[in-house]
Structures are given as structure tokens and as C-alpha cells.
Amino acid sequence: NGDHEVILVRDRFGIKTLYYHYDNNILVFASEVKALLKSGLVKDEKNVQSLAMFLQLGSIPHPLTTIKNVFSLDAGSYLVLNNKEILVKRYWNISDCFRGINKNGSCQDAQRLTGELFKDSIRNHLISDVPLGVFLSGGIDSSSIVAVASKLCSSPLNTISISFNEKQYDESLYSDIVAQKYSTNHNNVEISYEDFVNEQSNIFNAMDQPSIDGINTYFVSKAAKQCGLKVVLSGLGGDEVFLGYKHYLYSQYLEVFLKGLKFVPDSIKRNLFNPLWFSKFVSGSSLNRLSYLSDPSAENIYLLFRGLFTPLEICQLMGVSRSEIYYLDSLLDSSFDVDDAKLVNLIDLFDFSHYLKNQLLKDTDYMSMRHAIEIRVPFLDHNLVEKVISLPVNYKINNGVNKSLLVNSLNEKLPSRIINRAKKGFTFPMDIWIKRNSDYFRESSLKCKLLDEKTVNRIWGNFKNRKLHWSKVWALVVLGNFV
């Protein structure tokens, strides 16, 4: 009645998921879409548009879900139900961090303040009355957490890493270097192809919404539980905050190219990067994504880096229209001045608004909760983020050192082999594992009757011929287990 109201609030970055359905004056909400369906108050009606968006992005963007009339509450927002009406308002916006870049103070001043804020965040995230540890991959992000946390703890810090028989993917050498330097209680868990296959059903049961990611978090959370931990600190968000992804560096060169492209007539651009031309001559190749340059909008530049299947490929796969695919406008604050933004900041804003929120954090929440593990992300302390994002780009991308601002902000220098190692994400040997039994996984993807069988088989053929990244065929496997 009018005397009561319901308020739902989501954290600033979307660390925890929150979904809702409102119909016939009934509001249903939960942290998983599956829970809403279990209530019996929500019709299990698939949203085909959201599945097309999954194929384009590798995850489903806010506010869509796989179910019609079920929506995600956006990060930094709250929902109020009063007098039989719902109203959604925003209380914090990541876009604001990119406005008015702060050029006051030297790079050394920025390093000092960053170090203080990072240490404060680690200190706060270490508060726990249950066993706590750190995911340690041996990269700069997780190594920085261990370096600071080990100085704040009175007893040896618990650390966990994952290793593989496939040596080109195994990073245990680096995690061992960090664990030895900081005298941690280190646990290394080896994951095999057999583990991957045997856990398939559990992985898809844990995956509340389709995603090409999350398998790494599933296994590392399982390892944490086996080690007796309840709370684990993760380096998630470090790449977005400190510009660690390679495409941030590439975007600086692309910005120069795009300035020159402005002088090329639109008709020539459309022909030069025509999707049909690319489909004919680079069929099945990742070069297909260059077709986004036929219309180099902010959304398309982001898809050039982060896109999975192109619109033409999705139309062939699902038989949907082009209008059902583009949806990225909602990922950016409409008041953000794209023209005045550096391209690297624009791509970073998209990564915060989609890749981090809709994929990495969402998957981390599902997969960690499957094993009753609480994952904390100290890089996403809003005081730290607000300060670092507002700094000039050259404070963060400098002298070829990955995440130089973070590295130089630490009171104690990380091992040189950690600082100077080539940038590599925490990646499982999915390419090798899928190829070991590609027919099995192909049959699994064909269970999705929304996909054209001939197109699916052609994509698998291109994957076997080493033309495609594994993420494309894995996306089809994911849909085969969802629809």
C-alpha cells in the first residue's frame, strides 16, 4: 500500500548481481535469474535479442537477461517501489570519473597518493573473521595485492594459484617467485583436461547467464574451498583501473589512424570495410572485425577490440535482423562527451560499463558463490578508482612498463621478472582442450535450435583450421547448454 516502499540498491561497480521482475503489482528480485524462475511468478520465456547480444559481446549487457521481462538493476543505481510504481535512479556513475582529467600535481605525487589509497583498500579488504587468502597468478595485479597484504598481516598470507600440464599456459613459475619473496603459505592446484570435462555440468549449472568467461574463477574458487578458505582477494579490476590491457596501448595508435580516416569520404570507407567484402575474402577469420571501421563510431571501435561475432555472422547464425544486434548505446552515459574524450579513456569506459560489469564481475559472483567463496576486489575501492581514472593517461601508460603507476606506487618493488614479463591474462588452455574432443563440443553446440546448423558447422571447421579464436566456438557450446 502507499504507506510502504521497497528499495533495492546495487553497488557502484556491479560486484554483486541483482535482478528483478515487476508485473501485476508484484516485485520479485534475486541475485540469480534462476531463482526468479523458481519462484513460479516469472514466465520462462527466452529473450532472443539478448542471445544475439551474447554472440556479439560474449556476455549479456545490462539491463537484458535471457528471460523476457527480467532485468538487471544497473551498478551504482537503486530501485524504489512505491504506490505501485517503480523508479530507478543512479547514485554513482563511472562516467563522472572520466570527466575533468586532473592535471594538477606531478606523476610522483600521483604515485604517492595511489600507493596510500591502494594500501588503505587492502587493509579494509583484509578484515575477516574466517580464513582468508589471495588468488595469485603471478601477474602485476595479484602480485601487488600480495606485496601489500603480506606487510599488513601478522601471520603468513595464504595464496592460491592454478597450474596446467600445458606449459605454454602454466604461470606457476611466476606465482612461485612472488610466494617465495613474501613468504606466503602457498597452495598450487593443477587443473587437467579431465577436470574440465568432468566439471562441465557443474560449470553450466553455476553459470546463471551465458558467458564465454568464468571457468577460471570456477576452478580457482573450488581450489580455495579445498584449501579451507572462505574469503579470497582477487586482482579483478586492476587492468581497467591502471590501463593494463594491450588494446589500451593499441588504441593510442588507432586514434591517429582514425583522425586520418576522417578525411576519407564515407562512401569509400563503407566500401573499404564492407562486411560483405570481409565475409567473402577473410571468411572465418578474426579480421572480420575490421568491418566495424566502415562506421567508426564509439560503439564500433569498442567492438573492434572486444567484439565476438560480427553482426553479419550473427544474422547468419540466428536469422535475426541487424536492428536486433546493436545495443551498445545503453552501455555509455548519454551525457558523456565522446568527442572530447581520448580514445583510450572511451575504450576504458566501455570496459567498465560492459566487460567488467556484465562479464568479469558477474561470472566471478556466480562461480565463487557456487563454492561458497566470498571474492573481494580491492582494486574496485571507489576512492582508489575515482582518483586513478581522473589522472592523465601518460601517468598510467608510460615507458613501456605495464601498469607503471601501480608498480611505482608500491613501497616495495616487485620482483623484476614480474614487472618485465609479457602481459598475459589468467587464461586456461581452452584452445587445446576443445580441440582434443572437438566433435563432442560441436554436438553440444548444436543442441541450440536457434542456431543454423550449417553455419555452426562452418564455424567449427574454421576453428579446426586455426582461423578462429576458441572463444567463438565456446560461445556456441554455451548456448547449446542454455537454450
Side-chain angles (χ1 to χ4, degrees):
N1 58 47
D3 297 328
H4 297 85
E5 64 181 13
V6 175
I7 302 176
L8 305 181
V9 186
R10 195 172 179 200
D11 65 88
R12 292 175 177 86
F13 299 98
I15 298 169
K16 304 300 290 184
T17 53
L18 183 54
Y19 301 100
Y20 67 94
H21 166 79
Y22 183 63
D23 188 40
N24 293 325
N25 301 325
I26 296 175
L27 175 67
V28 192
F29 57 93
S31 60
E32 290 193 352
V33 174
K34 290 177 183 176
L36 296 181
L37 294 175
K38 287 286 187 180
S39 72
L41 298 170
V42 179
K43 185 184 296 184
D44 187 358
E45 188 176 359
K46 292 292 183 290
N47 185 338
V48 176
Q49 184 194 25
S50 72
L51 299 177
M53 291 303 302
F54 162 70
L55 289 174
Q56 187 173 31
L57 292 161
S59 58
I60 295 179
H62 160 83
L64 298 178
T65 70
T66 53
I67 306 301
K68 288 184 178 180
N69 299 317
V70 172
F71 305 100
S72 64
L73 181 62
D74 200 6
S77 299
Y78 64 95
L79 178 151
V80 179
L81 171 62
N82 198 346
N83 294 324
K84 299 182 180 180
E85 293 183 349
I86 60 171
L87 181 66
V88 176
K89 291 187 176 181
R90 183 176 290 279
Y91 67 87
W92 190 86
N93 196 335
I94 185 64
S95 299
D96 294 336
C97 301
F98 289 90
R99 292 188 176 92
I101 299 300
N102 181 12
K103 297 180 180 179
N104 298 321
S106 66
C107 186
Q108 289 72 26
D109 293 333
Q111 290 169 6
R112 185 168 53 254
L113 180 56
T114 298
E116 293 171 357
L117 292 172
F118 185 52
K119 185 177 180 180
D120 288 343
S121 178
I122 297 293
R123 182 184 292 109
N124 291 333
H125 283 81
L126 285 173
I127 298 172
S128 175
D129 56 3
V130 294
L132 176 145
V134 178
F135 289 153
L136 176 58
S137 68
I140 288 176
D141 295 333
S142 62
S143 299
S144 299
I145 292 175
V146 170
V148 175
S150 63
K151 302 300 180 184
L152 296 173
C153 294
S154 57
S155 57
L157 187 68
N158 296 306
T159 52
I160 305 170
S161 66
I162 296 292
S163 63
F164 309 102
N165 286 323
E166 294 80 4
K167 295 304 177 185
Q168 64 268 48
Y169 289 89
D170 186 28
E171 299 182 286
S172 58
L173 166 66
Y174 299 105
S175 57
D176 286 346
I177 290 173
V178 177
Q180 290 170 13
K181 177 176 176 61
Y182 297 105
S183 302
T184 71
N185 176 26
H186 190 55
N187 301 274
N188 180 72
V189 178
E190 185 174 291
I191 304 298
S192 67
Y193 167 77
E194 288 73 24
D195 294 322
F196 172 62
V197 173
N198 292 337
E199 291 286 343
Q200 286 289 298
S201 61
N202 291 330
I203 289 170
F204 287 117
N205 284 334
M207 191 184 290
D208 184 62
Q209 292 286 279
S211 172
I212 59 171
D213 217 320
I215 294 172
N216 49 4
T217 305
Y218 177 90
F219 280 106
V220 80
S221 298
K222 182 180 179 181
K225 185 175 182 179
Q226 291 171 343
C227 293
L229 300 179
K230 297 292 185 182
V231 176
V232 183
L233 272 58
S234 165
L236 205 60
D239 282 313
E240 288 79 7
V241 176
F242 290 98
L243 299 182
Y245 294 124
K246 288 181 180 178
H247 61 254
Y248 296 139
L249 182 61
Y250 299 154
S251 69
Q252 293 185 301
Y253 305 130
L254 181 61
E255 189 167 24
V256 176
F257 173 76
L258 290 176
K259 287 179 180 178
L261 201 62
K262 287 183 178 180
F263 297 99
V264 178
D266 290 342
S267 58
I268 295 178
K269 277 188 290 191
R270 285 193 295 269
N271 288 326
L272 183 62
F273 300 107
N274 189 296
L276 293 174
W277 185 93
F278 274 87
S279 176
K280 182 177 179 180
F281 291 100
V282 293
S283 176
S285 166
S286 295
L287 291 173
N288 274 342
R289 287 190 296 186
L290 289 175
S291 62
Y292 283 117
L293 291 175
S294 63
D295 176 23
S297 63
E299 294 84 0
N300 283 346
I301 295 303
Y302 180 71
L303 288 166
L304 178 64
F305 293 117
R306 285 287 186 204
L308 194 60
F309 289 98
T310 65
L312 181 60
E313 290 173 320
I314 298 169
C315 290
Q316 294 169 343
L317 267 169
M318 296 190 67
V320 296
S321 66
R322 292 285 292 265
S323 62
E324 291 182 85
I325 301 169
Y326 287 102
Y327 197 77
L328 284 180
D329 289 338
S330 66
L331 299 183
L332 272 187
D333 177 8
S334 59
S335 65
F336 189 76
D337 193 342
V338 173
D339 292 334
D340 290 340
K342 275 185 170 292
L343 184 60
V344 64
N345 282 334
L346 190 60
I347 300 301
D348 195 18
L349 177 56
F350 267 116
D351 272 337
F352 269 103
S353 302
H354 172 67
Y355 183 61
L356 181 65
K357 178 182 69 178
N358 294 328
Q359 188 162 319
L360 298 183
L361 290 173
K362 186 189 293 184
D363 295 341
T364 296
D365 188 37
Y366 298 151
M367 297 305 183
S368 60
M369 288 294 100
R370 174 74 179 192
H371 300 287
I373 297 293
E374 178 192 344
I375 291 185
R376 298 178 181 178
V377 281
F379 280 109
L380 296 182
D381 176 274
H382 71 97
N383 295 303
L384 175 66
V385 173
E386 289 167 356
K387 174 60 181 178
V388 175
I389 292 300
S390 67
L391 292 171
V393 169
N394 63 347
Y395 283 14
K396 290 169 278 190
I397 301 179
N398 188 24
N399 296 327
V401 177
N402 188 30
K403 300 174 192 167
S404 59
L405 176 62
L406 174 60
V407 169
N408 294 324
S409 73
L410 304 176
N411 288 329
E412 182 169 343
K413 193 171 183 180
L414 294 175
S416 59
R417 294 187 70 178
I418 302 301
I419 296 173
N420 298 323
R421 63 176 292 200
K423 166 66 179 173
K424 183 179 180 181
F426 178 36
T427 307
F428 274 41
M430 296 288 288
D431 184 78
I432 297 173
W433 288 351
I434 295 172
K435 281 190 170 76
R436 278 188 64 173
N437 199 350
S438 60
D439 288 339
Y440 164 77
F441 289 112
R442 181 179 60 83
E443 289 298 323
S444 180
S445 66
L446 287 170
K447 289 189 296 184
C448 179
K449 299 307 178 184
L450 292 174
L451 302 178
D452 177 70
E453 182 175 346
K454 183 178 178 181
T455 305
V456 170
N457 285 327
R458 185 176 73 244
I459 290 169
W460 275 98
N462 288 329
F463 171 69
K464 289 181 180 180
N465 292 329
R466 301 183 181 278
K467 291 183 179 181
L468 289 182
H469 191 262
W470 63 264
S471 58
K472 282 197 168 184
V473 292
W474 183 247
L476 303 182
V477 175
V478 170
L479 279 189
N481 284 272
F482 260 87
V483 182

